[in-house]
Amino acid sequence: MKKVLILEDEVNIRSFVVINLKRAGYDAIEAGTGMEALERLKEHPDIGVAILDIMLPDIDGFEVCRNIRATNKQIGIIMLTARTQEMDKVTGLMTGADDYVTKPFSPAELTARIDALYRRIGGDKAETELLSHGPFVMNVRNRTLEKDGERIRLTQVEYSILKLFMQNPGRALSREDVLTAVWGRDYDGELKIVDVNIRRLRIKIEDDATTPKYITTVWGFGYKWGA
Ligand code: CA
């Protein structure tokens, strides 16, 4: 069963999340303090996604996030932010979170975000293990990319976008296609996030990012892998 950690000191909210996680088929691991969350993660190294509240009695959610990221790049992290604290979203993403959900949230919204993250980190066993194209070899099991035998370090999002392209060579993908495939159907963020990530990806993988030949632009539509 897929494990999700829920760190929240308010018992009512935590129970509400736990009930809904169970209903969605997840195994919920609970923590009421930051230290407890770090302990639980040590006990259950197979936790795939962690939901972190920010305001906590001991170390805050940002600190917990930083702590987790120091040793674990793979786990998906969702911050629970208060509606009034707009800055929390930015701070959360800067400390290494993948996503955030604003309180009060609906169970459907939260589980959709978790599903999306699990899909991203999941590595479906039925998948082909290696994707290759030109100088690139992507190992789907290890989530690594090499160009001419040299490892290129990608963020989770960059990896997911590139994998989508490599699985669809020569096919024009709209920015909406990329957003849906990588962030999930219920993601309500802006399309611009796709362009920003592609700009970063091009810098990492292209021979010359100003004249991309691998991730090409399809004017007025989106992007394509290969010319
Ligand atoms: Ca709290």
Side-chain angles (χ1 to χ4, degrees):
M1 218 187 210
K2 291 174 177 172
K3 289 182 183 172
V4 175
L5 175 84
I6 166 71
L7 165 59
E8 166 65 81
D9 58 319
E10 284 161 70
V11 179
N12 290 341
I13 300 177
R14 196 170 74 225
S15 312
F16 170 76
V17 171
V18 167
I19 289 166
N20 285 289
L21 285 177
K22 286 183 178 160
R23 199 169 287 160
Y26 288 106
D27 185 3
I29 312 287
E30 298 179 56
T33 66
M35 294 311 287
E36 210 184 310
L38 295 173
E39 282 296 308
R40 293 289 96 79
L41 282 161
K42 260 186 226 141
E43 292 163 12
H44 305 271
D46 54 339
I47 289 173
V49 172
I51 305 162
L52 309 178
D53 185 33
I54 294 168
M55 299 290 282
L56 295 161
D58 58 346
I59 52 174
D60 72 18
F62 299 131
E63 198 54 46
V64 176
C65 183
R66 246 179 246 118
N67 255 290
I68 296 172
R69 274 290 178 252
T71 56
N72 188 338
K73 306 267 182 263
Q74 296 297 315
I75 193 170
I77 299 178
I78 300 174
M79 307 299 293
L80 291 182
T81 70
R83 188 183 288 280
T84 49
Q85 281 149 318
E86 218 25 51
M87 270 313 288
D88 285 356
K89 296 176 184 173
V90 179
T91 314
L93 295 175
M94 293 303 285
T95 53
D98 296 290
D99 207 345
Y100 52 80
V101 170
T102 309
K103 290 180 182 178
F105 51 85
S106 74
E109 184 189 0
L110 185 64
T111 49
R113 298 296 177 90
I114 298 167
D115 292 344
L117 272 182
Y118 245 112
R119 265 201 311 278
R120 224 189 279 168
I121 59 168
D124 187 350
K125 286 179 188 65
E127 279 179 313
T128 320
E129 205 164 308
L130 293 177
L131 294 169
S132 59
H133 176 103
F136 299 102
V137 177
M138 176 176 277
N139 185 318
V140 174
R141 182 155 302 172
N142 303 337
R143 302 175 66 81
T144 56
L145 177 76
E146 288 184 355
K147 181 184 182 186
D148 295 319
E150 297 265 332
R151 174 78 65 88
I152 296 178
R153 299 204 174 278
L154 302 176
T155 66
Q156 293 290 346
V157 166
E158 290 161 356
Y159 169 84
S160 303
I161 293 173
L162 194 60
K163 185 173 143 200
L164 178 69
F165 280 124
M166 290 183 77
Q167 285 172 328
N168 295 280
R171 192 179 136 201
L173 297 169
S174 70
R175 294 145 88 219
E176 286 86 353
D177 290 338
V178 177
L179 194 75
T180 305
V182 175
W183 280 267
R185 198 168 302 281
D186 298 310
Y187 189 79
D188 52 7
E190 291 176 48
L191 281 172
K192 207 159 192 54
I193 197 168
V194 174
D195 302 320
V196 173
N197 275 283
I198 285 179
R199 204 179 309 150
R200 283 209 314 251
L201 252 179
R202 279 173 167 167
I203 292 168
K204 291 187 179 180
I205 70 159
E206 296 284 349
D207 303 335
D208 174 4
T210 58
T211 50
K213 60 175 186 182
Y214 300 112
I215 303 178
T216 54
T217 299
V218 182
W219 294 107
F221 185 73
Y223 300 96
K224 190 167 76 171
W225 180 243

